[in-house]
Amino acid sequence: MTHHSPISRRTAVTAAAATAALLPFAAPPAQAADSAPAFLHGVASGDPLPDGVLLWTRVTPVPEAVPGSGRGPAVEVAWEVAEDEVFGRVVARGRVTASAAGDHTVKADVRGLRPATAYWFRFTADGVRSPAGRTRTAPARDAAVPGVRFGVVSCANWESGYFSAYRHLAGRRDLDAVIHLGDYLYEYASGQYPAAKYVVRPHRPAHEIVTLADYRTRHGHYKTDPDLQSLHGTHPTIAIWDDHEFADNTWSGGAGNHTPGAEGDWSARVAAAKQAYFEWMPVRPSIEGTTYRQLRFGTLADLHLLDLRSFRSQQAKPGSGTVDDPGRTLTGRAQLDWLKAGLASSDTTWRLVGNSVMMSPVAFGALPAHLLEPLATLLGLPAGGIAVNTDQWDGYTHDRGELLAHLTGRGIRNTVFLTGDIHMAWANDVPVQAATYPLSESAATEFVVTSVTADNLDETLHVLPHTVSLAAVTAIKAANRHVQWVDMDSHGYGVLDVTAERAQMDYYVLSDKRNPKATASWTRSYRTLSGTQRVERVKAPVR
């Protein structure tokens, strides 16, 4: 997603704060010492299965072995999983070696656990223990579970504010997992986005990240954030990447934020970014070393997770007439066939799709002149007017048309797209023909969550939230009758609650992303009832 600030684009990680107060299940974190290892980046779990979960940590064997340094000796790390928070009933344990070759990150893909069960886990190196984390396995494949509940987040820019959304999600004990829809980190140089005078806290390294060492350093710096550590130490994470894990507006052969002459070979940069991602994230790499994969939650829901960056054609220029070209693709042929087959063969009540860029078509209509340029800046479109956001599915209409025709032609019901990227909250029907909607059919529904911190419209304009954006919201809804709600100015997270009868997204907003102690409050809820393929407003969140 493009959101360059007006300034030019060419312009040792600290120890984490103590996490014991943030993680109710955590042991006191290790302190850095000359002679003993330390766990300075917390612990994490991810990709829950009925019989297992992926565990993660990073050990600092000596103080100079900071992320990206390539320094420090190999160290053996033990892990253990218990049924209780004091580790009186350990049910699994093992050992793995952490070395500079993997940036001293550690992963353990634990199996043999019971389904739908909370567990606690921790790591030990040379007698030093990590904080303890809590995780949860998925329900059994054939279990008729009454419900599942996920936190849903995207777009966390370190320099734009604090990760209070993560702290509030960590404080909940009713979540099965947290789904992160991409832009887990941002690649920009310090002061590029947002502009230097609006930076809340500087990230590291200060320059734009390009090399393997750079990406490792940025990942490591993010994981010193206490709220992020709290989230990872409390709930399993299910993550996909979007563009900023690489560079802005990534496509298979380059990016808007990559100049080969200045930043080297694109394939080398992608390889570095992917290596660092899989080292530092509690994610299992899937087909072709990407993040597209499928998870299942009993007979209630399956979750298809998409990689919409690795295989896509270059974004079309707005107005070029190429957005409908069948030779261009967003998903790539293999991934689209995989998704279609998975949706068709699914025997669950709901089909959830983790989708990094917006599926629903959006015509921007007759926007007021004073909003054209800032919206274009935010969305990466020509300032003279907005026709379509070609970084989204709108820029690849053949892929979208094929997928929606598959849903309607095969009678596939209850497909819900979960989306991030756009720094706004939306609740949409997904029409087969937007021009004739609502007289024509809706093939699916879509819930879009706003950013954790990355700038949205009011910050682009530097005005109070929910003032000038109201005119843009009115124009968008008038031109897009399938759009039920838009919030262009808030930051926060979603909580998706799924039962056999409905899938409901509760939207929560932060009081102030620049305040590390920001509060969170419920703002809106929308649901789709089973079999309807349409969203409707709900007056209260799920309790």
Side-chain angles (χ1 to χ4, degrees), residues 430-461:
V430 182
V432 176
Q433 295 291 337
T436 57
Y437 198 75
L439 299 178
S440 56
E441 188 175 7
S442 177
T445 53
E446 180 175 39
F447 297 124
V448 183
V449 294
T450 187
S451 65
V452 171
T453 60
D455 286 4
N456 42 29
L457 185 60
D458 60 320
E459 289 143 354
T460 302
L461 292 167

Side-chain angles (χ1 to χ4, degrees), residues 368-379 381-386 460-461:
H370 69 285
L371 291 175
L372 281 174
E373 184 172 353
L375 262 180
T377 299
L378 185 66
L379 300 174
L381 300 171
I386 299 176
T460 302
L461 292 167

Side-chain angles (χ1 to χ4, degrees), residues 162-472:
Y162 293 96
F163 296 160
S164 298
Y166 294 159
R167 183 179 75 254
H168 290 289
L169 283 171
R172 300 183 65 131
R173 292 296 176 268
D174 59 346
L175 303 180
D176 291 277
V178 171
I179 300 172
H180 202 298
L181 294 167
D183 294 344
Y184 182 93
L185 52 70
Y186 281 71
E187 85 284 7
Y188 294 121
S190 184
Q192 182 182 338
Y193 172 70
K197 66 179 179 178
Y198 299 112
V199 169
V200 176
R201 50 180 184 164
H203 57 209
R204 298 186 181 185
H207 58 267
E208 181 184 350
I209 55 175
V210 177
T211 67
L212 177 58
D214 291 342
Y215 282 100
R216 285 170 163 175
T217 302
R218 187 68 57 86
H219 272 282
H221 190 56
Y222 265 64
K223 281 194 169 64
T224 63
D225 182 88
D227 294 334
L228 181 55
Q229 287 193 11
S230 185
L231 180 74
H232 279 312
T234 309
H235 305 298
T237 300
I238 301 168
I240 55 175
W241 55 48
D242 194 27
D243 52 342
H244 290 290
E245 286 86 351
F246 305 95
D248 184 48
N249 275 7
T250 293
W251 59 284
S252 61
N257 197 25
H258 182 83
T259 304
E263 293 159 322
D265 179 68
W266 171 248
S267 62
R269 185 175 184 178
V270 168
K274 287 187 176 182
Q275 179 175 336
Y277 185 89
F278 285 122
E279 288 171 347
W280 279 88
M281 295 294 290
V283 170
R284 293 185 188 91
S286 60
I287 303 166
E288 301 182 56
T290 81
T291 55
Y292 80 80
R293 61 203 189 279
Q294 181 184 4
L295 297 172
R296 182 182 172 104
F297 296 84
T299 60
L300 184 60
D302 56 23
L303 173 61
H304 287 81
L305 299 151
L306 303 184
D307 174 358
L308 300 183
R309 294 295 168 181
S310 294
F311 312 107
R312 71 157 71 195
S313 306
Q314 186 171 12
Q315 294 85 349
K317 294 181 179 179
S320 66
T322 62
V323 296
D324 301 324
D325 184 349
R328 299 178 65 257
T329 182
L330 177 65
T331 62
R333 184 73 258 166
Q335 183 177 198
L336 185 57
D337 288 344
W338 166 85
L339 176 60
K340 289 167 59 180
L343 294 172
S345 64
S346 172
D347 61 354
T348 59
T349 303
W350 294 92
R351 280 145 289 283
L352 310 177
V353 181
N355 170 62
S356 60
V357 298
M358 195 150 77
M359 161 65 68
S360 303
V362 178
F364 287 92
L367 286 172
H370 69 285
L371 291 175
L372 281 174
E373 184 172 353
L375 262 180
T377 299
L378 185 66
L379 300 174
L381 300 171
I386 299 176
V388 65
N389 184 344
T390 62
D391 190 55
Q392 299 178 170
W393 286 80
D394 267 338
Y396 305 85
T397 61
H398 188 269
D399 276 4
R400 182 173 62 196
E402 180 178 334
L403 180 56
L404 298 186
H406 178 71
L407 295 178
T408 56
R410 299 290 294 270
I412 300 169
R413 316 290 282 178
N414 294 352
T415 302
V416 180
F417 292 93
L418 307 174
T419 304
D421 176 69
I422 203 169
H423 307 179
M424 306 173 192
W426 301 62
N428 304 323
D429 302 335
V430 182
V432 176
Q433 295 291 337
T436 57
Y437 198 75
L439 299 178
S440 56
E441 188 175 7
S442 177
T445 53
E446 180 175 39
F447 297 124
V448 183
V449 294
T450 187
S451 65
V452 171
T453 60
D455 286 4
N456 42 29
L457 185 60
D458 60 320
E459 289 143 354
T460 302
L461 292 167
H462 307 298
V463 298
L464 291 174
H466 310 298
T467 54
V468 297
S469 67
L470 297 180

Side-chain angles (χ1 to χ4, degrees), residues 29-188:
Q31 301 298 310
D34 291 340
S35 59
F39 294 92
L40 305 178
H41 301 89
V43 299
S45 66
D47 283 1
L49 301 173
D51 68 338
V53 68
L54 187 71
L55 306 182
W56 177 94
T57 193
R58 200 267 180 179
V59 61
T60 304
V62 291
E64 60 268 25
V66 297
S69 67
R71 303 174 67 184
V75 60
E76 187 175 64
V77 180
W79 57 264
E80 55 186 343
V81 178
E83 295 179 329
D84 62 321
E85 59 189 283
V86 297
F87 290 83
R89 299 188 302 277
V90 174
V91 297
R93 52 169 49 97
R95 293 179 177 274
V96 65
T97 299
S99 70
D103 210 20
H104 289 100
T105 59
V106 174
K107 283 186 177 181
D109 199 347
V110 182
R111 302 298 172 94
L113 305 179
R114 291 185 287 118
T117 301
Y119 289 95
W120 285 259
F121 64 97
R122 64 189 180 190
F123 301 85
T124 305
D126 288 349
V128 177
R129 283 180 177 165
S130 75
R134 176 186 177 275
T135 190
R136 185 173 180 83
T137 53
R141 180 176 178 83
D142 58 353
V145 293
V148 293
R149 188 174 293 181
F150 304 103
V152 188
V153 290
S154 73
C155 304
N157 185 15
W158 180 283
E159 296 210 324
S160 292
Y162 293 96
F163 296 160
S164 298
Y166 294 159
R167 183 179 75 254
H168 290 289
L169 283 171
R172 300 183 65 131
R173 292 296 176 268
D174 59 346
L175 303 180
D176 291 277
V178 171
I179 300 172
H180 202 298
L181 294 167
D183 294 344
Y184 182 93
L185 52 70
Y186 281 71
E187 85 284 7
Y188 294 121

